[in-house]
């Protein structure tokens, strides 16, 4: 999924992910430095956290997923004729989500849609790699049984 609709609590949010998405992300989110200054947060930092935490616990971290979701909604709005109301800020937008939407283990929720956006757009060759590995394993198994 590189674009489309993600539904949260009955509200549909059109999303897009393209070359503008990292820019939209870094315009919205910042990292506080030790000296008190701020620097723009990079979307790759959020993706790394999602991957690391998901690998360790099988449940993705909610804040980076919400940030990526918001950046994708902002990306859609950057070129859309009909803008989606995202509130005044990220915090306003997230506060509008019903409590039931924060269950990350639920199948088919917004979190799985955002995970699919990450896979499709930041790891596009992962599916091809998995398919190639599966084909190689099948070939190896067939070759092993060929001598019988």
């Amino acid at each position: 999924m590189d674009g489309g609709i993600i539904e949260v609590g009955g509200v549909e949010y059109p999303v897009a992910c393209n070359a503008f998405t990292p820019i939209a992300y870094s315009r919205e989110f910042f990292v506080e430095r030790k000296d008190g200054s701020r620097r723009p947060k990079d979307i790759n930092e959020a993706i790394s956290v999602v991957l690391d935490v998901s690998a360790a616990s099988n449940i993705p971290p909610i804040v980076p997923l919400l940030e990526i979701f918001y950046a994708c909604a902002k990306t859609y709005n950057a070129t859309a004729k009909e803008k989606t109301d995202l509130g005044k800020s990220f915090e306003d937008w997230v506060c509008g989500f019903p409590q039931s939407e924060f269950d990350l283990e639920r199948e088919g929720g917004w979190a799985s849609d955002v995970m699919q956006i990450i896979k499709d757009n930041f790891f596009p060759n992962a599916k091809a790699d998995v398919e190639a590995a599966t084909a190689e394993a099948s070939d190896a198994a067939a070759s092993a049984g060929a001598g019988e």
Side-chain angles (χ1 to χ4, degrees), residues 31-69:
V31 174
E32 298 286 331
R33 294 181 174 146
K34 290 179 183 179
D35 67 0
S37 65
R38 300 184 331 163
R39 70 164 174 81
K41 200 176 200 183
D42 189 287
I43 197 166
N44 290 321
E45 293 172 275
I47 291 167
S48 292
V49 170
V50 168
L51 295 176
D52 290 346
V53 173
S54 296
S57 70
N58 278 342
I59 298 177
I62 195 165
V63 173
L65 283 179
L66 286 167
E67 290 174 347
I68 293 167
F69 181 4

